[in-house]
Amino acid sequence: MDHFKQISTFVEAATRGSLSAAARAEGIAPAMIGRRLDALEQRLGVKLLQRSTRKIALTNEGAAFLDDCQRILADLEDAESAVAEGSARASGHLSISAPAGFGRMHVAPLLPSFLAEHREVELSLNLNDRLVDLIGEGIDVAIRIASLADSNLVGVKLADNQRVVVVAPAYLKKNGAPQVPDDLARHNCLALPSDGSQRGWTFRQNGKNITLKVSGNMVCNDGEVLHDWALAGRGLAWRSMWEVRSALESGQLVTVLDDFAAPGNDIYAVFAQRQHMPLRIRAFIDFLRRVYAQPEYWQKH
């Protein structure tokens, strides 16, 4: 039981961003949160969190451990729900949000199969590259391709992913390749507008994640258009592997700055924290996890 409390406390602290927020969520004193984290780190023999009086930050080991812990807790919650709900069936309206490109390719085509399994569910799909306000806009679950930053939301990892900087060989032949992230200031970068979900391109440099504001003469709020512009040799684009893998395999695009690729760009389902999650939300998340866990799915798509 102590081990379970340590793990659940670690997840609360990591996702909420501070010991005080985790303490409020669990209804205990911050000192108790600190003691549980100390005991966990001592038991594992590794530093999971860098802590200060106001905030905490995950170490590399802590970030990897967090993914595993969230999956374990989600599996445990699924098991308990399955027992408690027995033969209960998912029903009602499900509101889903996803990035436009990913949603078109990897969410929308799967929805008929999901509805075939859950015939009492109806749904709406909102495709938008901006960061939607789940609570304010009445979204049940959002698909996001980034690390979870909002401590008011719960994230469940659906699949691995990596963002890379891609460019057409013709552009490189004319303009050369950036060697370090700062070189992007001298290149034409194809990006989403500043009010979109990507406010900069993130890299790993000198052991830290850095976010660079990039600029270019072409901006679009649709990631698929940015992809097409990159294929046409108009500039460099920061895209996900699920989108550009085939173009890389065919040689239409190549990657640059691979040594600076940052972690934390995996595919997540996020939802508002609720004590009793509606079965339709849990069923949808479980459905996506099951599909995305199949290697042949990504090979085929």
Side-chain angles (χ1 to χ4, degrees):
M1 181 60 72
D2 288 342
H3 290 181
F4 179 79
K5 287 182 178 179
Q6 291 168 8
I7 289 175
S8 61
T9 294
F10 165 69
V11 171
E12 284 285 354
T15 55
R16 293 178 181 274
S18 72
L19 301 189
S20 58
R24 287 193 298 271
E26 296 200 22
I28 59 178
M32 178 62 73
I33 297 290
R35 285 196 290 270
R36 288 180 183 175
L37 294 176
D38 289 339
L40 177 62
E41 291 178 333
Q42 184 175 4
R43 179 164 62 86
L44 298 177
V46 65
K47 191 72 173 175
L48 300 173
L49 296 164
Q50 299 290 350
R51 287 177 264 168
S52 67
T53 55
R54 293 188 176 182
K55 62 180 181 178
I56 58 177
L58 287 165
T59 63
N60 289 337
E61 294 81 3
F65 189 57
L66 177 61
D67 282 342
D68 291 336
C69 289
Q70 286 180 315
R71 185 179 64 255
I72 291 168
L73 293 177
D75 289 343
L76 177 59
E77 190 173 353
D78 289 345
E80 291 179 343
S81 296
V83 172
E85 292 161 355
S87 61
R89 292 179 296 182
S91 62
H93 184 267
L94 179 65
S95 179
I96 307 163
S97 174
F102 185 84
R104 280 192 294 268
M105 293 177 64
H106 298 294
V107 179
L110 300 177
L111 296 183
S113 296
F114 172 74
L115 292 177
E117 293 183 13
H118 303 279
R119 297 183 180 278
E120 296 182 21
V121 174
E122 58 183 36
L123 58 80
S124 57
L125 176 62
N126 172 25
L127 299 182
N128 201 310
D129 282 326
R130 66 180 176 83
L131 200 63
V132 298
D133 177 1
L134 270 70
I135 297 175
E137 298 180 44
I139 302 296
D140 291 313
V141 58
I143 310 303
R144 289 186 180 171
I145 306 175
S147 57
L148 184 63
D150 191 336
S151 61
N152 293 318
L153 301 175
V154 178
V156 175
K157 184 176 175 180
L158 300 175
D160 295 328
N161 180 57
Q162 184 182 4
R163 275 197 173 126
V164 290
V165 180
V166 296
V167 61
Y171 178 93
L172 290 184
K173 184 176 181 180
K174 182 178 180 181
N175 300 281
Q179 302 301 312
V180 295
D182 286 343
D183 289 346
L184 292 173
R186 298 188 291 274
H187 285 271
N188 197 46
C189 296
L190 311 169
L192 294 169
S194 60
D195 61 347
S197 60
Q198 292 177 222
R199 298 182 183 277
W201 294 4
T202 302
F203 301 93
R204 188 77 175 173
Q205 193 170 27
N206 299 323
K208 298 180 179 179
N209 282 3
I210 60 169
T211 300
L212 297 180
K213 295 294 182 66
V214 297
S215 61
N217 63 2
M218 302 176 78
V219 174
C220 183
N221 65 349
D222 189 307
E224 187 173 344
V225 172
L226 299 179
H227 181 202
D228 291 341
W229 284 346
L231 287 171
R234 302 299 183 184
L236 296 89
W238 191 51
R239 310 307 304 154
S240 287
M241 282 298 295
W242 59 262
E243 180 185 10
V244 299
R245 187 182 304 275
S246 61
L248 293 174
E249 292 175 350
S250 67
Q252 293 176 285
L253 294 174
V254 297
T255 60
V256 295
L257 302 176
D258 291 348
D259 292 339
F260 301 92
N265 289 302
D266 295 324
I267 303 166
Y268 286 84
V270 299
F271 49 92
Q273 296 186 36
R274 303 178 185 179
Q275 186 175 2
H276 302 292
M277 183 192 304
L279 183 56
R280 61 183 176 274
I281 298 178
R282 185 177 310 285
F284 179 64
I285 293 173
D286 289 345
F287 173 81
L288 291 183
R289 290 173 69 190
R290 186 172 71 248
V291 173
Y292 295 161
Q294 302 171 16
E296 57 271 22
Y297 171 81
W298 298 105
Q299 294 169 2
K300 180 179 179 181
H301 296 83

